Each structure stands twice: as structure tokens, then as C-alpha cells.
Amino acid sequence: MTRFAPLAAVLLAFVVGSAPSQIPPGPPVADSGATKQRELEWWKRAVIYEIYVRSFQDSDGDGVGDVNGITQRLDYLRDLGVDAIWVSPMFPSPQVDFGYDISNYEAVDPQYGSLADFDRLIAEARKRHIGVIIDMVLNHTSDRHPWFVNSARSRTAREHDWYVWSDGKRGPDGAMHPPNNWVSLFGGSAWEWVPAVKQYYYHKFYKQQPDLNWRNPAVEDAMFSAMRFWLDRGVAGFRLDAVPTLFEDPALKDEPVLPGINAQGDANLDHIYTENLPELHATMRRMRSLVSAYPGERVLVGETYLPDTASLDKWYGGANHDELQLPMDMLVGFSNKLSAPHFRSLLAEVYSQIHGSQPLLVFDNHDNQRSWERYGDGFHDAQIARLVAALLLTSKATALLYQGEEIGQRTMVPTRIEDVRDPIGVTGWPKEKGRDGERTPMQWDATNGQAGFSTGAKSWLPVPQNYKTINVQSELKDPESLLNWHRRLIDLRRTNPALRDGTAAMLDEQNPNVLSYLRVAPSGAAVVVVLNMSATPQTVSLDVGGAGLKGIVTETLMSSANAASKTASLHDAKVPPFGVWVAAIE
Ligand code: GLC
Ligand code: MG
């Protein structure tokens, strides 16, 4: 499959940056200003694909995915139509949180390969016009990182103040207690006592993940220098892990207690002193300046679970657009409610209330039950997966896919505590079974018992038995597969000007069952998208006169396999249960 027109290929060659020894990317070749701008803003039209490195492809038979495994699969990603990959943390790590506990920010864990392997990944990806985005864990390090080891050794150590320490409170019993009621998201108090310094340190996540003290400028210097290390090697940007948690309130006040207890058995707290502190934004602006100094539009993607769109807008820098280019909108993809009015209002909001910034939508990642189960009704799951893909890929947003989503991998929740690998599943069992279910190996083919993921006898998490039918190889051969549905949608999104660069406007806004919208390109080319979010057949009548269009259907671009008839009228468009209809109109 050819992915780009020749000109676009030349332009896109500039976007993924340069290895230190190469000439930095220059401005695109002669072109009109407007087109040039669009080509430069590659991340606005991108499909970004999340790779959970442990589970994507094992190249050496040890049952754990690795960097060379990713390189081996780049052709698959190119053919799928991926513009950038986000690689989960591949840095040296004790692997308590499977890489989200980093002990060295400027190397690759030997389990995953070497720095040379990673350089080769970047170079091979660039040849296929794929950028490599890496995962920066800025809130915390591993407790084995030399910075923390020193920090915990003595109060006078250079790095002591790099972490969040407190003397604690002496209780009426005379014993020392944590300074406040803050809890770890992974269960229990967020404070851990260290006898050597007679202080508690704060950890939002596991106790093996001590929070850095971002109020100390030395921390920012150290992290920015690690980011430069990777920018110099040519990464296309960073996914900023848990970024709303960088700062804590220095007064260490108790957080307000909300009703109920969470899955870990702790009180629910309103995280007003540990998340989304206003101080974050000055740091984000400096970080944006750091990446902007590099050629090729390196991007900052944020893991931003936020309560509302107004909060999301702040992560872009509001009207100034000077913070993250792509903080993730988690409101749409994780609303877990397949409802036309619900999606209509969430989409309309993110399209209109972020000062013209570019939304980033995501329905799946390595931390949540897969969208297959979250949106499926147990009956129409295969059709619903196509509906969700169509919503994501015909939206005006940049799209994020998670490995396996495109083939319909299922969530495989462990059934026995002894099988659980994710520590939160161990501490939270049986209420919280952890995140292993969405992290099982990528299902490539049916050539061996590991679904082609590994040649070893065992993989670090078991391969679901459904791999014999749900796998890349067999789905590539089936024109009606979910994988080919994704490939067609991505191709359409790239080649159709309305879907690529067009505006978006909601249609038929009172319809309780069907979500319909119009995309119009700068040239006037228009597309309608009709998504039936109900279990019954629906007929819609769409009025596009207000948009200055005649309302004539010129071509059905995508339609569900189970569509009774390929509809050809905007006034009488029939869509089957959970059906999809995408059409070019005049
Ligand atoms: C993010 C990651 C998650 C990790 C946590 C702590 O939420 O996606 O996997 O456990 O941060 O780093
Ligand atoms: Mg923090």
C-alpha cells in the first residue's frame, strides 16, 4: 500500500527529527504557505500507535517483548498507516511497575535491548515515515535510581531535596505517623518511613516509585537534560506519564474526604493538593520551549485524566497554545457509555472549547480494560468495535490506537491471584485484579503457541487461547476483518481531504440514537458520518443545507458489512444496529 503522495513523503521525511550525526531537518521544499503549514503540523493528522514493549514482539525467545521486536514489525505498522509509535518505558528499571519505575533515564534496559538497538529502531522507523515517541516518567523515579538512593541516605546528601520528604507527625501515642491523609493511587498511605533519615517520603504510586520534588530546580534540570539526550537521538516527542501529579501542595494539608472507598479499600479523596496544581503550567511552558528548539515539530503528548474540557484546555496553554500539543482527552474514549447524545456533546465541547487546539482521542491503553468489553454489549461486540473505530478515525482529532485494538484483542483478566503480575492486582485482589488483562501479548499469527509473539515456551503473560482466530495474519486475509476495517478507515482519513483537514459540525442534533456529523475540507469537499449507537435499525434524515451543500450523495466511502442496503440518500439513510455509514456528498 502506498501511504503518501511523493511530495508528502518528502515533507514527512522532515518530521521525525535527526540523529546527532545527521544534518538537522530543514524547512520543507517549495510549496504554498498554507500547505506547508499543514504538512509541518504532522501530529494534527496523525495516527499514533501505543506499543507496550513487553508485549508487542519478542525477538530473542525469552518471552518478553523487546526493542528489536518492534523494529521487526515496522512494516506492519507502516501498512496499517501509523504515523508515530509511542513506546512504553524501555529504560533500565527494576520492573516493579513494568518500566514506570526508572533507574536510569539515559539507557535501555538490557532485557529490552541496547541503545544501539534503539537508535536502529528510530532510523528504521524514519525510513517508513514513522516517528518514535518515548514515554517520559517525570513524576517519580525508581527507588533504585541513584538519585533516590542518595536522597534516602542522609539529609545532607546532594539529592535529598530532589524528593518529597516530611518529618511526619507525632501522634498522641508518641509514635511517628505520616504527615497527612494522602493515599497512593496503588493502595495505602502515600508516605513511607526511612529510618536512615527519620523522615517519610511521598509516593503517588508504589512505594518503589518515590515522587520527585519539582519545586527544586535541579530536578527540572536533570529531567530536561534526559529529554535532550533523546531529542538528540531523534525521538519525535514524549508521552508524559501521569503529568498532572508533578507538584504537591507544600503545606501538606489533608485532602478532603469523599464518600465511599476505592477498589484498593482506601478512602476516596478529592486530590486538590496532589494533582493539577497551577505550578505545573510554568514547567510545561519551559518544556514546550525545550522541544520547540528542535527541528521537525517534536510533540508533547500528555497522560491527562481530567474532570472536564476546561481543565484540558489549560494543558494546551489555552489561547496561548504554548504548553502540550496533545494532552489526551480521556473524557470521550473512557466515558464507557455508548450513547449518541453523550458523544455528541463531548465531541462538540472538545471541538469548540479548547481555543482551536487539536484534540487527541483515545479509547484504549495499557491501564484500562479494553474498549471491546467497555463498549460491547455482549451481543454486537464486533459491530460496536467497528463503530468505535469509525468514531475515532473519522473525528477531527488526532487518533491514538493501542496495540491489539485494531484486531479486537480481548481483555484477559487473571482468574487466580497467583497468576497476577501487576502489583495493584496483588494488593487489590479480588476487587482490583490489576492491568494484566489488557497487557497480554500481541496476537500475530497461529504459527506457534505464543501467537507468533515469541519463540520461547512461555511468555511473561499468557497468550489468550482465542489467538487462533484473533490474529494479524488471519485478519489480513479476511476483507471483512476488524483489522482491514481499521486499515480502510486510516487510509480514508489520510486521503480524503474532508476527513484529513476538514471542519466538523454535528447534524441531526436531537437524535437520541444516531450520532451524525459533517466534515468539510477547505476546498469544500464534504463527508457525512452516520453512527447508529443503538441496537435497532435507524433511519435518519440529514439536513446539510445550512452548510451550503446540495445534499447529494456522491459515494459511499465506508459502510458496515451488515448494512441491509447501501443507502444513497441523505433524507432516508438506513443504518443497521450499531451500523456505520460514511459518504461523500455535495
Ligand atoms: C501511568 C501509566 C501507568 C503507570 C503509572 C505510574 O498511569 O500509564 O501504567 O503505572 O503512570 O507511572
Ligand atoms: Mg508528584
Side-chain angles (χ1 to χ4, degrees), residues 139 211 245-248:
N139 177 63
D211 271 51
T245 65
L246 296 199
F247 284 84
E248 296 76 34

mmCIF file of all heavy atoms in Angstrom, residues 139 211 245-248, ligand 2:
data_model
loop_
_atom_site.group_PDB
_atom_site.id
_atom_site.type_symbol
_atom_site.label_atom_id
_atom_site.label_comp_id
_atom_site.label_asym_id
_atom_site.label_seq_id
_atom_site.Cartn_x
_atom_site.Cartn_y
_atom_site.Cartn_z
ATOM 1 N N ASN A 139 7.171 12.199 37.094
ATOM 2 C CA ASN A 139 6.681 12.408 38.459
ATOM 3 C C ASN A 139 7.528 11.698 39.492
ATOM 4 O O ASN A 139 7.676 12.156 40.610
ATOM 5 C CB ASN A 139 5.239 11.918 38.578
ATOM 6 C CG ASN A 139 4.722 12.044 40.000
ATOM 7 O OD1 ASN A 139 4.620 13.151 40.524
ATOM 8 N ND2 ASN A 139 4.459 10.926 40.648
ATOM 9 N N ASP A 211 8.081 10.111 44.569
ATOM 10 C CA ASP A 211 7.825 11.327 43.781
ATOM 11 C C ASP A 211 9.019 12.268 43.835
ATOM 12 O O ASP A 211 9.576 12.525 44.902
ATOM 13 C CB ASP A 211 6.613 12.090 44.353
ATOM 14 C CG ASP A 211 5.310 11.632 43.734
ATOM 15 O OD1 ASP A 211 5.071 10.414 43.718
ATOM 16 O OD2 ASP A 211 4.530 12.506 43.285
ATOM 17 N N THR A 245 0.495 14.961 38.124
ATOM 18 C CA THR A 245 0.870 14.703 39.524
ATOM 19 C C THR A 245 2.243 15.260 39.902
ATOM 20 O O THR A 245 2.753 14.963 40.991
ATOM 21 C CB THR A 245 0.864 13.185 39.818
ATOM 22 O OG1 THR A 245 1.885 12.547 39.033
ATOM 23 C CG2 THR A 245 -0.477 12.542 39.495
ATOM 24 N N LEU A 246 2.865 16.073 39.042
ATOM 25 C CA LEU A 246 4.239 16.513 39.327
ATOM 26 C C LEU A 246 4.368 17.303 40.627
ATOM 27 O O LEU A 246 5.334 17.155 41.353
ATOM 28 C CB LEU A 246 4.794 17.378 38.189
ATOM 29 C CG LEU A 246 4.983 16.771 36.797
ATOM 30 C CD1 LEU A 246 5.944 17.618 35.984
ATOM 31 C CD2 LEU A 246 5.440 15.346 36.848
ATOM 32 N N PHE A 247 3.409 18.177 40.897
ATOM 33 C CA PHE A 247 3.547 19.042 42.073
ATOM 34 C C PHE A 247 2.574 18.656 43.173
ATOM 35 O O PHE A 247 1.455 18.221 42.903
ATOM 36 C CB PHE A 247 3.264 20.502 41.699
ATOM 37 C CG PHE A 247 4.390 21.152 40.958
ATOM 38 C CD1 PHE A 247 4.513 21.005 39.580
ATOM 39 C CD2 PHE A 247 5.339 21.909 41.639
ATOM 40 C CE1 PHE A 247 5.558 21.602 38.890
ATOM 41 C CE2 PHE A 247 6.393 22.508 40.964
ATOM 42 C CZ PHE A 247 6.498 22.359 39.583
ATOM 43 N N GLU A 248 3.015 18.871 44.413
ATOM 44 C CA GLU A 248 2.139 18.687 45.567
ATOM 45 C C GLU A 248 2.103 20.005 46.345
ATOM 46 O O GLU A 248 3.038 20.798 46.273
ATOM 47 C CB GLU A 248 2.680 17.595 46.509
ATOM 48 C CG GLU A 248 2.709 16.217 45.879
ATOM 49 C CD GLU A 248 3.858 16.030 44.899
ATOM 50 O OE1 GLU A 248 4.932 16.607 45.132
ATOM 51 O OE2 GLU A 248 3.671 15.327 43.882
HETATM 52 MG MG MG B 2 4.289 14.343 42.296
#
